[in-house]
Amino acid sequence: MEGPLQTSLHVCHENGQWMSELPEKLWDIPLYNLALPGSHDTMTYCLDKNSAVSGNESKLVEFLNKFMPCIVRPIIMKWSITQVLTVTEQLEAGVRYLDFRIAHKANDPSMNLYFVHMVYTTVVVQDILWEVLKWLETHPQEVVILACRNFDGLNKKHHCHLIACIKEIFQCKLCPRNVVPTLRTMWQHGYQVIVSYEEVMELEKHCELWPAIPYWWGNRTSTHALIQYLERMKRMGRPEKFFVAGINLTENLRYILLHPFGSLKEMTLRSLPCLKIWVRKQYPGTQKECINIIAGDFIGNDDFVRDVIELNTKINPPLDCHSKAAGTNTISFSAL
């Protein structure tokens, strides 16, 4: 049963350095066997209410927006915004997985790339990458995963431009994909950024790019149905490396018509009490039903980030975890 609407918003700045504060027994466990908080559709806090509708959206939405913008545009904005904290605020709150949906505007002759969720952002991708770098420079022991996805409207030249920007901005902070990304290894080499890239053709050319990270997207309007989906995915078994369990609900046309005065934020906040219980029951690790990244909407609400970080206290690695062969395959759990 979904809980009452909660409207509190509090960013826990104590989480800004949480990776550096993990106990040494966890330093030799790969990041894909730890619990990491993530934000779904990270950049929707700065959507441009005056921008064109993304070419990825249905022709019906484009048609309605063109001929009834005064009615349709406010609805689009209410159901497109999934975050209210800036990218720096999200990082400071403890988020370590950023979901970047990248696009190039149709008929735009420039090389400018934007983020997108139904409509485009007011900021360009390059500026946000610099903002992430600025934050990393003041948090030298924190590691961030940038999931570059969707690539709406990008051609080969745009991909080359984007990858060149990523390399230029992060330089030696980029962790190559052949590295086992434990905290100890990342710290020793000065690596702070893992970039997953959804365009397979580009992976072969650049050792700094990691394969696309699987995202368990329930596409459900009900909290109960979403939890059922996530439990079913767990029973099928976790991927070997990074993956995301998305606790974000998804509206559809029927839901919007039945809730004409609603919004994605209201939908999300009502789901938090049940999802909070589910999150706290999870375990990170290598076993079949373990989780890795958990990503949500409106991450500044409730105690979502803190709850995910605290899942790492359940890990009880063997005493020789720092040895060459240990730590990547065997992890037990302590009783809570």
Side-chain angles (χ1 to χ4, degrees):
M1 188 174 181
E2 297 182 359
L5 181 62
Q6 301 178 11
T7 57
S8 63
L9 181 66
H10 51 93
V11 180
C12 182
H13 294 281
E14 295 176 1
N15 294 333
Q17 307 267 10
W18 73 264
M19 284 182 157
S20 66
E21 295 167 356
L22 287 176
E24 187 173 1
K25 68 179 184 178
L26 302 183
W27 293 358
D28 296 288
I29 295 175
L31 295 179
Y32 41 75
N33 292 331
L34 295 179
L36 308 176
S39 60
H40 167 250
D41 265 312
T42 299
M43 294 304 303
T44 55
Y45 64 86
C46 59
L47 293 178
D48 184 357
K49 64 182 180 181
N50 297 315
S51 93
V53 173
S54 162
N56 256 0
E57 301 307 319
S58 70
K59 296 299 180 184
L60 175 61
V61 171
E62 290 187 51
F63 176 83
L64 293 174
N65 181 65
K66 183 176 181 179
F67 292 99
M68 295 187 293
C70 294
I71 298 173
V72 175
R73 185 49 64 111
I75 295 174
I76 288 176
M77 297 303 292
K78 284 198 303 180
W79 294 98
S80 297
I81 296 172
T82 68
Q83 308 294 340
V84 294
L85 301 182
T86 68
V87 71
T88 296
E89 290 170 338
Q90 291 180 42
L91 292 169
E92 197 63 35
V95 166
R96 295 296 176 266
Y97 166 90
L98 302 178
D99 179 17
F100 284 167
R101 315 290 181 95
I102 297 174
H104 182 262
K105 293 180 180 180
N107 304 317
D108 182 355
S110 77
M111 294 297 289
N112 287 338
L113 299 176
Y114 297 83
F115 302 97
V116 67
H117 188 216
M118 294 192 74
V119 294
Y120 303 98
T121 54
T122 56
V123 298
V124 295
V125 171
Q126 197 167 351
D127 289 347
I128 294 301
L129 297 181
W130 283 111
E131 185 175 341
V132 171
L133 175 66
K134 182 179 178 181
W135 185 86
L136 288 171
E137 287 176 336
T138 60
H139 299 76
Q141 288 187 291
E142 299 303 301
V143 178
V144 176
I145 300 170
L146 307 181
C148 299
R149 310 172 60 197
N150 284 37
F151 300 131
D152 177 21
L154 270 68
N155 58 31
K156 188 173 182 179
K157 287 184 179 180
H158 297 130
H159 281 292
C160 290
H161 172 67
L162 175 57
I163 294 167
C165 287
I166 290 170
K167 288 184 174 184
E168 176 193 359
I169 292 169
F170 296 113
Q171 299 186 23
C172 60
K173 292 184 183 294
L174 290 170
C175 177
R177 63 175 174 268
N178 63 344
V179 171
V180 177
T182 66
L183 285 174
R184 193 186 302 273
T185 298
M186 301 291 280
W187 294 341
Q188 286 175 345
H189 293 87
Y191 299 143
Q192 285 188 272
V193 182
I194 291 173
V195 177
S196 73
Y197 208 82
E198 206 170 59
E199 180 56 50
V200 178
M201 296 297 291
E202 299 299 331
L203 289 178
E204 302 170 0
K205 308 173 191 175
H206 307 279
C207 65
E208 301 90 346
L209 301 181
W210 291 61
I213 296 175
Y215 194 109
W216 291 356
W217 176 51
N219 193 19
R220 304 293 194 273
T221 60
S222 120
T223 311
H224 178 69
L226 175 59
I227 291 173
Q228 283 187 321
Y229 163 80
L230 292 172
E231 287 298 312
R232 185 167 66 253
M233 295 299 291
K234 283 171 56 183
R235 288 192 296 271
M236 293 171 61
R238 59 155 291 166
E240 181 183 357
K241 295 190 177 179
F242 290 111
F243 75 101
V244 183
I247 61 167
N248 50 291
L249 294 174
T250 305
E251 82 290 345
N252 54 34
L253 182 58
R254 181 176 182 273
Y255 188 93
I256 293 174
L257 292 175
L258 290 173
H259 301 80
F261 301 107
S263 67
L264 185 58
K265 184 172 185 179
E266 182 178 319
M267 183 185 193
T268 299
L269 297 186
R270 290 191 186 280
S271 73
L272 288 181
C274 289
L275 290 173
K276 183 185 186 76
I277 294 170
W278 183 84
V279 168
R280 288 183 169 184
K281 290 180 179 178
Q282 304 313 302
Y283 288 84
T286 59
Q287 297 175 28
K288 180 179 178 181
E289 295 196 2
C290 289
I291 56 84
N292 173 214
I293 301 164
I294 302 180
D297 291 335
F298 301 101
I299 59 89
N301 289 87
D302 208 52
D303 299 311
F304 162 71
V305 172
R306 186 189 67 186
D307 287 343
V308 176
I309 294 170
E310 288 184 355
L311 295 178
N312 292 302
T313 63
K314 300 181 182 183
I315 300 176
N316 187 24
L319 294 176
D320 62 345
C321 181
H322 62 277
S323 68
K324 186 173 181 180
T328 59
N329 296 316
T330 306
I331 300 175
S332 59
F333 301 120
S334 59
L336 293 185

